[in-house]
Amino acid sequence: MSARAALLLLADGRLPAGGYAHSGGLEESVRTGRVRDAESLESFLEGRARTVGLVSAAFAARSCRAAHDPDPLPELEVLDGELDARTPSPAQRETSRQLGRQLHRLLTGMAHHPLLERLPRALHQPLVLGAACGLYGLRPRDAALAALHESVTGPAVAAVRLMSIDPFRTHAALARIAPSLDRLAERALEHCDGSPHDMPAAAAPLLDVVTEAHATRSERLFAS
């Protein structure tokens, strides 16, 4: 498989790795009235990209670079702990690891690679995504963009089910956000070198709050 084809595959929302079952905090935000129309949805997506999206992109990019090393496991384990520390919500941590397990399972079914066999089964999803990008010959910037793309397209697709909103308007919002995703990817690349302790820690406290509230609800369309 070519690197370009691999990038399209990894960024495809139809990838059966569980992401389609998650709204990234949007469902609870709609329920509480914080997101109620196309304008507030776009603000939600932009804010998500600048916080958890940037953090995920930086870790995915660094994981992609590490995948090219002779033995990337020690760095990946350190990065996993650092990302854990940057995810204060227990529900978000569990979601990230669950998605990581599902993506790992999918990847091992797609191709056999020694690193995939050795990867811990419960790594955070951005690290598994980044390692996959590296194994397919993609660059750290590709991994960062894939992570940022996922951080906004998942909630945008969920919005069509959660809100009375025209899907054409959601994709128009994604198009307007796209230039900022390019800039955020460049910021993420700045953290491919240096100490793992200096990775970005952009916070979204309100997103943490709605995620925890959502986890307690018995009736919900999405897992997060």
Side-chain angles (χ1 to χ4, degrees):
M1 185 188 306
S2 71
R4 288 182 182 274
L7 180 59
L8 291 173
L9 179 65
L10 292 170
D12 191 339
R14 295 166 297 181
L15 196 72
Y20 51 83
H22 296 266
S23 75
L26 180 66
E27 182 171 6
E28 190 67 21
S29 297
V30 170
R31 190 194 306 272
T32 58
R34 293 186 176 94
V35 177
R36 57 195 175 278
D37 52 27
E39 289 71 26
S40 54
L41 173 63
E42 186 169 342
S43 295
F44 175 90
L45 297 176
E46 182 80 28
R48 199 171 194 283
R50 292 178 179 275
T51 52
V52 296
L54 172 61
V55 173
S56 295
F59 277 84
R62 183 138 184 172
S63 176
C64 179
R65 195 202 63 171
H68 295 284
D69 296 338
D71 183 11
L73 290 182
E75 180 167 6
L76 290 177
E77 290 173 355
V78 171
L79 291 172
D80 191 64
E82 292 294 330
L83 187 48
D84 219 43
R86 288 160 175 77
T87 313
S89 162
Q92 283 198 37
R93 288 198 298 271
E94 175 54 31
T95 295
S96 179
R97 292 191 182 280
Q98 178 185 3
L99 291 173
R101 288 191 295 270
Q102 292 171 344
L103 180 57
H104 183 274
R105 176 187 174 189
L106 174 67
L107 292 168
T108 54
M110 289 166 48
H112 295 286
H113 192 283
L115 177 58
L116 289 176
E117 299 298 328
R118 297 171 59 206
L119 276 182
R121 296 299 187 267
L123 282 178
H124 280 289
Q125 190 267 357
L127 299 178
V128 182
L129 176 63
C133 287
L135 296 180
Y136 280 116
L138 293 163
R139 301 169 299 169
R141 189 176 188 278
D142 297 320
L145 280 172
L148 285 161
H149 172 82
E150 182 182 53
S151 75
V152 295
T153 54
V157 171
V160 178
R161 292 178 60 188
L162 293 167
M163 306 166 62
S164 297
I165 188 169
D166 185 344
F168 287 92
R169 296 193 70 184
T170 65
H171 277 71
L174 289 173
R176 288 190 292 271
I177 292 172
S180 69
L181 298 187
D182 284 327
R183 292 191 293 270
L184 289 168
E186 293 301 324
R187 287 181 58 189
L189 291 181
E190 296 171 3
H191 299 277
C192 277
D193 296 307
S195 171
H197 307 306
D198 295 329
M199 297 291 285
L206 189 55
L207 191 58
D208 296 331
V209 170
V210 299
T211 300
E212 289 300 310
H214 185 74
T216 67
R217 296 195 181 274
S218 57
E219 295 183 2
R220 53 189 180 181
L221 286 177
F222 293 90
S224 72

